[in-house]
Amino acid sequence: SLDLTFRCNLRCVHCYCNLPVADREAASKELKTGEILRIIDHIAEAGCLWLLITGGEPLLRKDFPEIYSYAKKKGFLTTLFTNGTCITEKIANHLARWPPYLVEISVYGATKKTYEKITRIPGSFERCMRGIDLLLEREIPLGLKTMAMTLNHSEITLMKAYADALGVQFRFDPTLNPRLDGA
């Protein structure tokens, strides 16, 4: 598992890994592209087959396409965890050229109201849905997941129905981890 960044474009109420996008200190502590590529070399040499690319939001990194395709060229069965809001035509096309084993998108509600109550970012619901559509249009392997919490538990069956209607897998996680500061 490679956490490319601890920064995220959302401010989810439950997340322990969501430093602001513009956090320069956090960005300065991230591994440089070459360092990440060397790590990928080492784990490939060690015989690793499965690679999860995650974050924060890994698509925030400008070098994401380079890192991702490098891992694919090394032969990894690659999974990407994302919130889906940063998936653009360009990113979706890149993933279509280098198909992942799976992209898992976190969906926090079946409705805009619930989703954005959790993400605390207006417009994030529509951007997530657009990301899902872009991947489905390119037949990229996709799964949806959510965190079960008091804010969205009443919509879990609706989220599953949405995933079923799309023909993709769905899972939820009832475990929430505390932040490093204990919050």
Side-chain angles (χ1 to χ4, degrees):
S1 178
L2 281 175
D3 291 349
L4 297 184
T5 181
F6 291 128
R7 297 175 297 128
C8 187
N9 59 322
L10 304 180
R11 296 183 303 118
C12 297
V13 297
H14 66 283
C15 190
Y16 65 93
C17 189
N18 64 347
L19 297 175
V21 173
D23 187 327
R24 289 184 181 165
E25 181 181 350
S28 72
K29 292 179 180 177
E30 293 173 3
L31 295 175
K32 306 296 182 243
T33 307
E35 294 171 314
I36 293 170
L37 300 183
R38 282 191 295 282
I39 290 170
I40 291 171
D41 287 339
H42 290 304
I43 60 177
E45 289 167 11
C48 181
L49 296 175
W50 295 90
L51 180 64
L52 167 62
I53 297 177
T54 186
E57 176 49 55
L59 298 179
L60 289 177
R61 287 192 55 137
K62 291 180 181 7
D63 59 357
F64 169 80
E66 178 181 359
I67 292 167
Y68 175 82
S69 55
Y70 189 82
K72 290 297 295 177
K73 289 174 189 174
K74 289 288 184 175
F76 286 103
L77 297 168
T78 307
T79 298
L80 172 64
F81 284 1
T82 177
N83 63 38
T85 63
C86 296
I87 296 173
T88 61
E89 296 258 350
K90 184 176 178 181
I91 291 291
N93 289 338
H94 189 76
L95 293 171
R97 274 192 302 276
W98 298 95
Y101 175 77
L102 181 68
V103 174
E104 278 197 357
I105 293 181
S106 299
V107 178
Y108 299 114
T111 63
K112 176 181 177 170
K113 181 180 177 184
T114 298
Y115 183 97
E116 292 182 4
K117 187 182 285 188
I118 292 169
T119 66
R120 299 185 288 185
I121 300 292
S124 57
F125 180 76
E126 288 87 0
R127 290 194 308 274
C128 178
M129 297 299 113
R130 175 72 175 140
I132 290 168
D133 291 342
L134 287 169
L135 297 181
L136 290 174
E137 288 167 7
R138 288 155 181 83
E139 299 181 359
I140 293 170
L142 177 65
L144 303 181
K145 63 184 176 183
T146 195
M147 296 297 300
M149 56 188 111
T150 56
L151 293 172
N152 71 357
H153 75 280
S154 65
E155 293 186 6
I156 289 177
T157 55
L158 294 173
M159 287 183 265
K160 177 160 182 3
Y162 172 66
D164 289 346
L166 296 176
V168 302
Q169 59 184 292
F170 175 78
R171 67 183 180 93
F172 73 92
D173 192 341
T175 305
L176 293 175
N177 296 308
R179 293 185 180 171
L180 294 176
D181 67 1

PDB file of all heavy atoms in Angstrom, residues 49-61:
ATOM      1  N   LEU A  49       3.075  -8.587  -5.765  1.00  0.00           N
ATOM      2  CA  LEU A  49       2.206  -8.606  -6.939  1.00  0.00           C
ATOM      3  C   LEU A  49       1.092  -7.585  -6.866  1.00  0.00           C
ATOM      4  O   LEU A  49       0.655  -7.054  -7.878  1.00  0.00           O
ATOM      5  CB  LEU A  49       1.582  -9.998  -7.112  1.00  0.00           C
ATOM      6  CG  LEU A  49       2.544 -11.138  -7.390  1.00  0.00           C
ATOM      7  CD1 LEU A  49       1.806 -12.467  -7.403  1.00  0.00           C
ATOM      8  CD2 LEU A  49       3.268 -10.909  -8.703  1.00  0.00           C
ATOM      9  N   TRP A  50       0.585  -7.337  -5.669  1.00  0.00           N
ATOM     10  CA  TRP A  50      -0.572  -6.461  -5.469  1.00  0.00           C
ATOM     11  C   TRP A  50      -0.100  -5.117  -4.946  1.00  0.00           C
ATOM     12  O   TRP A  50       0.708  -5.057  -4.017  1.00  0.00           O
ATOM     13  CB  TRP A  50      -1.535  -7.067  -4.452  1.00  0.00           C
ATOM     14  CG  TRP A  50      -2.148  -8.343  -4.931  1.00  0.00           C
ATOM     15  CD1 TRP A  50      -1.651  -9.599  -4.745  1.00  0.00           C
ATOM     16  CD2 TRP A  50      -3.344  -8.483  -5.670  1.00  0.00           C
ATOM     17  NE1 TRP A  50      -2.489 -10.522  -5.330  1.00  0.00           N
ATOM     18  CE2 TRP A  50      -3.531  -9.864  -5.911  1.00  0.00           C
ATOM     19  CE3 TRP A  50      -4.284  -7.586  -6.161  1.00  0.00           C
ATOM     20  CZ2 TRP A  50      -4.623 -10.365  -6.615  1.00  0.00           C
ATOM     21  CZ3 TRP A  50      -5.367  -8.080  -6.864  1.00  0.00           C
ATOM     22  CH2 TRP A  50      -5.533  -9.458  -7.087  1.00  0.00           C
ATOM     23  N   LEU A  51      -0.634  -4.041  -5.500  1.00  0.00           N
ATOM     24  CA  LEU A  51      -0.280  -2.710  -5.038  1.00  0.00           C
ATOM     25  C   LEU A  51      -1.532  -1.863  -4.919  1.00  0.00           C
ATOM     26  O   LEU A  51      -2.313  -1.750  -5.874  1.00  0.00           O
ATOM     27  CB  LEU A  51       0.700  -2.036  -6.011  1.00  0.00           C
ATOM     28  CG  LEU A  51       1.141  -0.628  -5.638  1.00  0.00           C
ATOM     29  CD1 LEU A  51       1.935  -0.623  -4.328  1.00  0.00           C
ATOM     30  CD2 LEU A  51       1.956  -0.007  -6.764  1.00  0.00           C
ATOM     31  N   LEU A  52      -1.720  -1.281  -3.752  1.00  0.00           N
ATOM     32  CA  LEU A  52      -2.803  -0.333  -3.509  1.00  0.00           C
ATOM     33  C   LEU A  52      -2.210   1.065  -3.504  1.00  0.00           C
ATOM     34  O   LEU A  52      -1.266   1.342  -2.758  1.00  0.00           O
ATOM     35  CB  LEU A  52      -3.470  -0.622  -2.160  1.00  0.00           C
ATOM     36  CG  LEU A  52      -4.411   0.455  -1.636  1.00  0.00           C
ATOM     37  CD1 LEU A  52      -5.588   0.675  -2.573  1.00  0.00           C
ATOM     38  CD2 LEU A  52      -4.877   0.104  -0.237  1.00  0.00           C
ATOM     39  N   ILE A  53      -2.768   1.948  -4.324  1.00  0.00           N
ATOM     40  CA  ILE A  53      -2.372   3.358  -4.324  1.00  0.00           C
ATOM     41  C   ILE A  53      -3.516   4.135  -3.698  1.00  0.00           C
ATOM     42  O   ILE A  53      -4.661   4.073  -4.148  1.00  0.00           O
ATOM     43  CB  ILE A  53      -2.069   3.851  -5.752  1.00  0.00           C
ATOM     44  CG1 ILE A  53      -0.890   3.079  -6.335  1.00  0.00           C
ATOM     45  CG2 ILE A  53      -1.779   5.358  -5.736  1.00  0.00           C
ATOM     46  CD1 ILE A  53      -0.556   3.427  -7.769  1.00  0.00           C
ATOM     47  N   THR A  54      -3.196   4.875  -2.635  1.00  0.00           N
ATOM     48  CA  THR A  54      -4.211   5.571  -1.862  1.00  0.00           C
ATOM     49  C   THR A  54      -3.626   6.862  -1.312  1.00  0.00           C
ATOM     50  O   THR A  54      -2.586   7.332  -1.731  1.00  0.00           O
ATOM     51  CB  THR A  54      -4.768   4.627  -0.765  1.00  0.00           C
ATOM     52  OG1 THR A  54      -5.866   5.260  -0.099  1.00  0.00           O
ATOM     53  CG2 THR A  54      -3.715   4.191   0.226  1.00  0.00           C
ATOM     54  N   GLY A  55      -4.301   7.449  -0.359  1.00  0.00           N
ATOM     55  CA  GLY A  55      -3.845   8.685   0.252  1.00  0.00           C
ATOM     56  C   GLY A  55      -4.609   8.879   1.548  1.00  0.00           C
ATOM     57  O   GLY A  55      -5.073   7.909   2.130  1.00  0.00           O
ATOM     58  N   GLY A  56      -4.802  10.069   1.842  1.00  0.00           N
ATOM     59  CA  GLY A  56      -5.465  11.229   1.304  1.00  0.00           C
ATOM     60  C   GLY A  56      -6.062  10.920  -0.050  1.00  0.00           C
ATOM     61  O   GLY A  56      -6.571   9.846  -0.283  1.00  0.00           O
ATOM     62  N   GLU A  57      -6.016  11.912  -0.888  1.00  0.00           N
ATOM     63  CA  GLU A  57      -6.524  11.760  -2.255  1.00  0.00           C
ATOM     64  C   GLU A  57      -5.343  11.695  -3.210  1.00  0.00           C
ATOM     65  O   GLU A  57      -4.728  12.713  -3.509  1.00  0.00           O
ATOM     66  CB  GLU A  57      -7.457  12.916  -2.625  1.00  0.00           C
ATOM     67  CG  GLU A  57      -7.954  12.881  -4.047  1.00  0.00           C
ATOM     68  CD  GLU A  57      -8.508  11.523  -4.472  1.00  0.00           C
ATOM     69  OE1 GLU A  57      -9.407  10.989  -3.799  1.00  0.00           O
ATOM     70  OE2 GLU A  57      -8.025  10.993  -5.494  1.00  0.00           O
ATOM     71  N   PRO A  58      -4.993  10.478  -3.691  1.00  0.00           N
ATOM     72  CA  PRO A  58      -3.797  10.320  -4.517  1.00  0.00           C
ATOM     73  C   PRO A  58      -3.839  11.093  -5.833  1.00  0.00           C
ATOM     74  O   PRO A  58      -2.795  11.453  -6.372  1.00  0.00           O
ATOM     75  CB  PRO A  58      -3.715   8.808  -4.750  1.00  0.00           C
ATOM     76  CG  PRO A  58      -5.099   8.310  -4.533  1.00  0.00           C
ATOM     77  CD  PRO A  58      -5.707   9.216  -3.498  1.00  0.00           C
ATOM     78  N   LEU A  59      -5.037  11.373  -6.347  1.00  0.00           N
ATOM     79  CA  LEU A  59      -5.138  12.083  -7.620  1.00  0.00           C
ATOM     80  C   LEU A  59      -4.785  13.562  -7.506  1.00  0.00           C
ATOM     81  O   LEU A  59      -4.665  14.245  -8.522  1.00  0.00           O
ATOM     82  CB  LEU A  59      -6.536  11.916  -8.217  1.00  0.00           C
ATOM     83  CG  LEU A  59      -6.935  10.479  -8.544  1.00  0.00           C
ATOM     84  CD1 LEU A  59      -8.336  10.418  -9.095  1.00  0.00           C
ATOM     85  CD2 LEU A  59      -5.952   9.828  -9.489  1.00  0.00           C
ATOM     86  N   LEU A  60      -4.576  14.048  -6.293  1.00  0.00           N
ATOM     87  CA  LEU A  60      -4.136  15.432  -6.118  1.00  0.00           C
ATOM     88  C   LEU A  60      -2.702  15.629  -6.608  1.00  0.00           C
ATOM     89  O   LEU A  60      -2.325  16.739  -6.979  1.00  0.00           O
ATOM     90  CB  LEU A  60      -4.212  15.851  -4.650  1.00  0.00           C
ATOM     91  CG  LEU A  60      -5.592  16.043  -4.073  1.00  0.00           C
ATOM     92  CD1 LEU A  60      -5.492  16.376  -2.590  1.00  0.00           C
ATOM     93  CD2 LEU A  60      -6.354  17.124  -4.816  1.00  0.00           C
ATOM     94  N   ARG A  61      -1.939  14.580  -6.606  1.00  0.00           N
ATOM     95  CA  ARG A  61      -0.539  14.699  -7.019  1.00  0.00           C
ATOM     96  C   ARG A  61      -0.457  14.829  -8.533  1.00  0.00           C
ATOM     97  O   ARG A  61      -1.022  14.020  -9.262  1.00  0.00           O
ATOM     98  CB  ARG A  61       0.255  13.489  -6.545  1.00  0.00           C
ATOM     99  CG  ARG A  61       0.479  13.538  -5.027  1.00  0.00           C
ATOM    100  CD  ARG A  61       1.477  12.546  -4.576  1.00  0.00           C
ATOM    101  NE  ARG A  61       2.764  12.639  -5.260  1.00  0.00           N
ATOM    102  CZ  ARG A  61       3.927  12.556  -4.635  1.00  0.00           C
ATOM    103  NH1 ARG A  61       3.969  12.425  -3.324  1.00  0.00           N
ATOM    104  NH2 ARG A  61       5.046  12.592  -5.321  1.00  0.00           N
TER     105      ARG A  61
END
